[in-house]
Amino acid sequence: MFSFLAKSGELALRLPPKDRAAFMKAHRTSLCEQHGTVLEEYVVVPSRLLRQPSKLEASFAVSFGYVRGLKPKATKRAK
Protein backbone atom coordinates (compact mmCIF):
# COMPACT_ATOMS: atom_id res chain seq x y z
CA MET A 1 0.00 0.00 0.00
CA PHE A 2 1.56 3.29 -1.03
CA SER A 3 -1.22 5.69 0.00
CA PHE A 4 -4.54 5.73 1.77
CA LEU A 5 -7.44 8.01 2.57
CA ALA A 6 -8.23 8.01 6.29
CA LYS A 7 -11.72 8.08 7.71
CA SER A 8 -11.05 11.67 8.79
CA GLY A 9 -10.50 12.64 5.15
CA GLU A 10 -6.71 12.95 5.35
CA LEU A 11 -4.59 11.56 2.55
CA ALA A 12 -1.40 9.76 3.58
CA LEU A 13 1.56 8.81 1.37
CA ARG A 14 4.21 6.19 2.12
CA LEU A 15 7.62 7.67 1.35
CA PRO A 16 11.25 6.57 1.75
CA PRO A 17 13.12 8.19 4.69
CA LYS A 18 15.01 10.80 2.67
CA ASP A 19 11.96 11.92 0.72
CA ARG A 20 9.75 11.73 3.81
CA ALA A 21 11.90 14.26 5.69
CA ALA A 22 12.05 16.59 2.68
CA PHE A 23 8.28 16.36 2.13
CA MET A 24 7.51 17.11 5.78
CA LYS A 25 9.85 20.10 5.78
CA ALA A 26 8.66 21.52 2.45
CA HIS A 27 4.96 21.16 3.20
CA ARG A 28 5.07 21.69 6.97
CA THR A 29 3.30 18.46 7.76
CA SER A 30 3.82 15.47 10.04
CA LEU A 31 3.76 11.71 10.17
CA CYS A 32 0.36 10.09 9.93
CA GLU A 33 -1.34 8.86 13.08
CA GLN A 34 -4.13 6.28 12.97
CA HIS A 35 -5.94 4.79 15.96
CA GLY A 36 -3.34 6.19 18.38
CA THR A 37 -0.38 4.76 16.46
CA VAL A 38 2.13 6.83 14.50
CA LEU A 39 2.71 5.28 11.08
CA GLU A 40 6.43 5.91 10.65
CA GLU A 41 6.53 5.64 6.84
CA TYR A 42 3.41 7.67 6.08
CA VAL A 43 3.12 11.46 5.90
CA VAL A 44 -0.08 13.47 5.94
CA VAL A 45 -0.70 15.39 2.71
CA PRO A 46 -1.83 18.93 3.61
CA SER A 47 -5.20 19.99 2.19
CA ARG A 48 -3.62 22.95 0.35
CA LEU A 49 -1.50 20.48 -1.63
CA LEU A 50 -4.61 18.50 -2.63
CA ARG A 51 -5.71 21.54 -4.62
CA GLN A 52 -2.50 21.35 -6.69
CA PRO A 53 -2.58 17.94 -8.38
CA SER A 54 0.40 18.70 -10.61
CA LYS A 55 2.64 19.11 -7.52
CA LEU A 56 1.15 16.08 -5.82
CA GLU A 57 1.71 13.84 -8.86
CA ALA A 58 5.48 13.70 -8.30
CA SER A 59 5.01 12.64 -4.67
CA PHE A 60 2.63 9.87 -5.73
CA ALA A 61 5.22 8.62 -8.23
CA VAL A 62 7.95 8.54 -5.55
CA SER A 63 5.60 6.74 -3.17
CA PHE A 64 4.60 4.12 -5.74
CA GLY A 65 8.22 3.55 -6.77
CA TYR A 66 9.29 3.11 -3.15
CA VAL A 67 6.60 0.54 -2.37
CA ARG A 68 7.19 -1.27 -5.62
CA GLY A 69 10.83 -1.78 -4.64
CA LEU A 70 10.06 -3.26 -1.20
CA LYS A 71 10.38 -6.99 -0.67
CA PRO A 72 7.05 -8.76 -0.14
CA LYS A 73 6.24 -10.03 3.33
CA ALA A 74 6.53 -13.78 3.83
CA THR A 75 3.21 -15.56 3.91
CA LYS A 76 2.06 -17.37 7.04
CA ARG A 77 -0.10 -19.84 5.15
CA ALA A 78 0.96 -23.46 4.92
CA LYS A 79 1.80 -24.66 1.43
Side-chain angles (χ1 to χ4, degrees):
M1 183 166 63
F2 68 95
S3 66
F4 69 88
L5 189 58
K7 199 176 215 181
S8 62
E10 291 179 325
L11 176 66
L13 288 176
R14 188 176 189 180
L15 296 171
K18 187 174 160 184
D19 293 314
R20 188 179 322 131
F23 185 90
M24 290 189 327
K25 185 176 180 182
H27 300 291
R28 291 182 231 144
T29 190
S30 61
L31 294 174
C32 183
E33 185 178 335
Q34 291 294 307
H35 308 288
T37 303
V38 175
L39 304 177
E40 301 266 335
E41 291 190 319
Y42 290 87
V43 294
V44 175
V45 176
S47 58
R48 64 185 176 280
L49 190 58
L50 292 174
R51 292 184 221 113
Q52 301 171 337
S54 59
K55 290 185 178 182
L56 191 55
E57 185 178 2
S59 297
F60 264 99
V62 169
S63 178
F64 184 71
Y66 172 59
V67 171
R68 196 168 180 192
L70 293 175
K71 292 181 181 179
K73 285 186 176 180
T75 183
K76 293 182 181 178
R77 286 187 268 161
K79 290 186 178 182

